[in-house]
Amino acid sequence: NIQIIPYKEYVTQYDVQLFNLQYLNDLNNYSNGWKTYISELCAQLCDTDAEISKSLIDLGNFDKTTPEELIERIADSDEFSRRGADSEHILAIVRHKNNKKIQNRIWRAQMQVFFPIIEFNRVNLIEKWFDEIQNSLMNENVKQYGVQIYDPYEVELGTLYYLTIHKIDADKFKLYIPDQADRNKINFLHTCRNQLAHMKCCSPEQIEN
């Protein structure tokens, strides 16, 4: 009366992500933002292998070490030396040095977590400097994809960055934002968004900021 239960018919990547969140909830060494990212990252990397995902979380230091380095340590460990027979298993991918596939899994996690955060920050900046941006749109004939825009909320980060660094003349920018911290923030968000849009991952330092 022995019954075979196919693991993958009952456990999905989403289940592993929920397990990660529950497990991370009891840990105090990360902020809630980091916990959200780590849960998604480990689920994307490890797929349905919850045990490897937990080991990756336990290894820690996501804010100082790249996910590639952490998962390589697990792949090289004696504990999991026999794990990874399936060619799509993360340990097999690491051992075959398929860096492109590893990067793609990390990138998917970052797109899920950070792209909405970047957009949220863009909207916050537009709300804060709404009048200045609206004046720039009215006076500078600003176009995106060949179409002139008038609504500040339609201004993408690339356009926002362009307007803040280009001058009409020697003493006047197309868009002047007097707060240096916010100008730096626009530059930073623009850089991160460009990386993600071109399927490049953000570094731990960028994520921390």
Side-chain angles (χ1 to χ4, degrees), residues 1 32 37 43 47 49 57 73-75 79 88 94 128 143-144 146 149 154 158 165 178 185-186 188 205:
N1 295 319
N32 288 339
Y37 170 55
D47 196 24
D49 195 326
I57 292 171
R73 292 180 198 172
I74 294 176
E79 182 181 0
E88 289 302 306
V94 172
K128 184 175 180 179
K143 293 184 178 181
Q144 287 178 169
I149 55 174
E154 292 181 2
I165 64 169
K185 189 173 186 178
I186 290 169
F188 174 72
E205 293 77 18

Side-chain angles (χ1 to χ4, degrees), residues 1-7 9-10:
N1 295 319
I2 295 175
Q3 182 181 3
I4 296 174
I5 300 175
Y7 179 82
E9 288 185 13
Y10 292 89

Side-chain angles (χ1 to χ4, degrees), residues 103 107 110 192-202:
Q103 284 282 313
W107 173 77
Q110 293 192 355
C192 292
R193 187 194 181 285
N194 267 4
Q195 286 177 218
L196 293 175
H198 292 90
M199 296 185 72
K200 295 179 180 178
C201 298
C202 296

